[in-house]
Amino acid sequence: MSKVVIIGGGAAGMIAAYSAALTSNKVILLEKNEKLGKKIYITGKGRCNLTNASDMNTVMENVVSNKRFLFSAFRNFTNEDIMNLVENNGTKLKVERGNRVFPVSDHSSDVIKSVEKAIRDLGVDIRLNTKVDELIIENNRCVGVIVGKNKIMADAVIVATGGMSYQATGSDGDGYRFAKEAGLSVSKLYPSLVPFNVEGERVKALQGLSLRNIHAYIYNDKKLVYDEFGEMLFTHFGVSGPVIISASALIGNKDIKGYRLSIDLKPALDNEKLDERILRDFSEQKNKQLKNSLNKLFPTKLIDEVIYQSKIDPEKKVNLLTKEERHRLVNATKNLEFRLSSTRGFNEAIITKGGVEVSQINPKTMESKSVKGLFFAGEVLDLDALTGGYNLQIAWSSGYAAGEGAGNV
């Protein structure tokens, strides 16, 4: 029987505690907050998209960084395993669009309660409001942690502290410090699954406007680096929403100043069909000014921007528009352009890109290759994925592997 100490009571830490306790080990879970799963409370807009119900190969395909590292962990603890654990402990689940899995109640707290029940039933010693200051490492072996003036000795220590995202939940980078102090390398950290800032002031007029069924394209010079169909949102600083934050997972670790966002507002219509549609609308309101004749085609907030990018006089009557002007209007509708300047910061990021370099970690057990008895799980590792429940599955699977590995020390 081993004594296992886990730092961090989020998704990875809780499931690591569960896994380690399954084989009758003494498990102590240390959480700096007043409750477990604080970040889980706000995931999925408070509903908790706890995993994705696609087959595990599809889940793997949606991992962005170091997906091959997860092969063993994903096989050992799958999406079905976490769904069964949550349901067996009192929370019914449902599958929504994109195979996203949520609690039927739409309350993230129910998911946390179920996992907490599972670990309490196994006798895990949960200590809240307990901040770990440093690891105790002797002769290349982690033998415990220091909490204030106290030492907690252990056979194995699991670092499951999360990343740098949503810092109000306690993700302040402690885990990276622990790793560095133990001699491990940490790759550069970036905010990911995060909105973008847009150059200029015009975007502010679009604040609060939500667009559905658009196709977003992002270009670096003339090279297409991302495209996706779906929903987006304009904010006071730029752009957000599902298609935008997914883009940040793929390109957010680059200097994106000057990258172009092009939005096709009517992807179901080609240029010719869109021109026919515009002509039809105009024929019904011949004497109206252009600015008053596009209500059927666009949300009111968007009309000024489309006309501005069309370079047409908004006061001009539609029956006086030239064919060339109409084509400019079609082009602005199919390619509404904004220049990106940067991503938002860690406090608006859903996850952190970068972390403890996985080449230093045993993928089957999550143990450090250089410091025995020291394990890492979840977002503290250099692992990240797209939106849709995939990042939480990384936490569950890597946490389970770490708990199992630590329990067998």
Side-chain angles (χ1 to χ4, degrees):
M1 188 169 96
S2 301
K3 183 179 177 184
V4 179
V5 167
I6 299 161
I7 313 171
M14 284 196 290
I15 212 71
Y18 172 79
S19 174
L22 278 175
T23 46
S24 303
N25 295 295
K26 179 173 174 50
V27 180
I28 303 171
L29 178 58
L30 308 176
E31 168 54 53
K32 67 162 71 164
N33 287 308
E34 74 287 354
K35 59 188 174 187
L36 297 178
K38 200 163 183 181
K39 189 176 169 187
I40 299 174
Y41 273 99
I42 54 175
T43 60
K45 296 177 181 170
R47 295 172 60 220
C48 187
N49 176 196
L50 74 147
T51 187
N52 191 284
S54 302
D55 63 83
M56 288 306 289
N57 286 337
T58 302
V59 175
M60 180 80 80
E61 285 165 14
N62 282 274
V63 175
V64 176
S65 304
N66 299 312
K67 63 181 73 179
R68 288 181 64 192
F69 175 82
L70 285 162
F71 182 78
S72 176
F74 272 180
R75 192 173 54 183
N76 194 34
F77 192 77
T78 68
N79 48 9
E80 286 188 11
D81 290 325
I82 186 59
M83 288 163 70
N84 289 336
L85 187 148
V86 169
E87 290 206 313
N88 290 342
N89 284 279
T91 298
K92 285 191 164 58
L93 301 175
K94 60 182 174 180
V95 180
E96 295 189 359
R97 182 176 53 83
N99 279 332
R100 290 168 162 84
V101 180
F102 293 92
V104 169
S105 65
D106 286 331
H107 294 309
S108 56
S109 55
D110 289 340
V111 173
I112 300 162
K113 280 178 200 162
S114 285
V115 181
E116 185 173 347
K117 178 184 180 300
I119 61 178
R120 285 192 185 278
D121 287 350
L122 288 170
V124 172
D125 179 0
I126 299 169
R127 301 182 191 177
L128 303 174
N129 300 303
T130 304
K131 184 177 180 351
V132 173
D133 296 308
E134 58 184 291
L135 306 176
I136 304 171
I137 296 174
E138 297 171 358
N139 302 318
N140 285 333
R141 184 169 198 92
C142 188
V143 294
V145 299
I146 295 176
V147 177
K149 293 177 181 176
N150 300 316
K151 290 182 178 180
I152 303 174
M153 305 309 285
D155 299 299
V157 173
I158 300 173
V159 177
T161 48
M164 295 281 282
S165 57
Y166 285 138
Q167 293 173 354
T169 64
S171 302
D172 57 6
D174 273 353
Y176 306 124
R177 177 172 62 81
F178 295 150
K180 287 175 182 174
E181 287 172 358
L184 279 75
S185 302
V186 175
S187 62
K188 192 169 180 185
L189 306 172
Y190 302 90
S192 190
L193 298 183
V194 66
F196 288 111
N197 291 311
V198 164
E199 289 180 10
E201 297 293 309
R202 292 191 59 84
V203 73
K204 289 182 179 175
L206 301 173
Q207 180 180 349
L209 175 64
S210 180
L211 299 178
R212 290 184 171 191
N213 302 321
I214 55 90
H215 203 124
Y217 301 85
I218 297 178
Y219 295 90
N220 177 16
D221 197 13
K222 291 179 181 175
K223 184 185 175 190
L224 179 67
V225 293
Y226 174 84
D227 75 290
E228 188 63 70
F229 175 85
E231 299 176 27
M232 64 167 288
L233 171 73
F234 287 98
T235 68
H236 65 286
F237 54 77
V239 287
S240 185
V243 299
I244 299 299
I245 64 172
S246 286
S248 75
L250 298 170
I251 63 172
N253 60 343
K254 298 177 176 66
D255 177 10
I256 61 162
K257 190 169 176 60
Y259 276 46
R260 286 182 299 119
L261 167 66
S262 172
I263 306 164
D264 184 347
L265 298 167
K266 300 291 175 185
L269 301 174
D270 61 20
N271 287 28
E272 194 177 326
K273 289 265 176 17
L274 181 58
D275 190 34
E276 288 171 9
R277 163 78 195 273
I278 290 170
L279 276 171
R280 198 163 61 245
D281 287 356
F282 285 176
S283 69
E284 295 169 9
Q285 31 199 355
K286 291 177 183 173
N287 294 313
K288 277 192 175 179
Q289 294 169 311
L290 180 61
K291 66 181 182 182
N292 297 322
S293 64
L294 295 172
N295 303 60
K296 285 186 179 178
L297 206 56
F298 308 116
T300 306
K301 260 189 177 177
L302 200 56
I303 291 172
D304 283 353
E305 185 62 28
V306 174
I307 294 174
Y308 173 80
Q309 294 201 21
S310 304
K311 298 184 171 64
I312 306 171
D313 179 1
E315 311 288 329
K316 193 168 186 177
K317 290 190 175 177
V318 294
N319 59 348
L320 298 176
L321 285 188
T322 66
K323 185 177 182 181
E324 195 268 334
E325 284 173 324
R326 216 173 58 245
H327 284 173
R328 293 210 304 265
L329 185 62
V330 167
N331 187 57
T333 305
K334 299 290 284 181
N335 301 282
L336 197 70
E337 276 202 1
F338 299 90
R339 288 202 170 267
L340 304 176
S341 56
S342 60
T343 62
R344 300 292 281 177
F346 279 110
N347 222 29
E348 291 175 53
I350 294 173
I351 56 157
T352 305
K353 195 175 193 67
V356 176
E357 291 183 6
V358 296
S359 59
Q360 310 163 110
I361 305 296
N362 181 329
K364 289 185 176 172
T365 63
M366 302 294 146
E367 186 176 21
S368 162
K369 291 176 180 177
S370 57
V371 181
K372 293 301 166 195
L374 178 59
F375 297 75
F376 292 86
E379 198 180 335
V380 71
L381 290 164
D382 184 6
L383 301 165
D384 63 275
L386 301 178
T387 54
Y390 305 110
N391 285 289
L392 267 175
Q393 187 59 48
I394 291 174
W396 304 128
S397 294
S398 63
Y400 191 90
E404 197 171 58
N408 289 323
V409 167

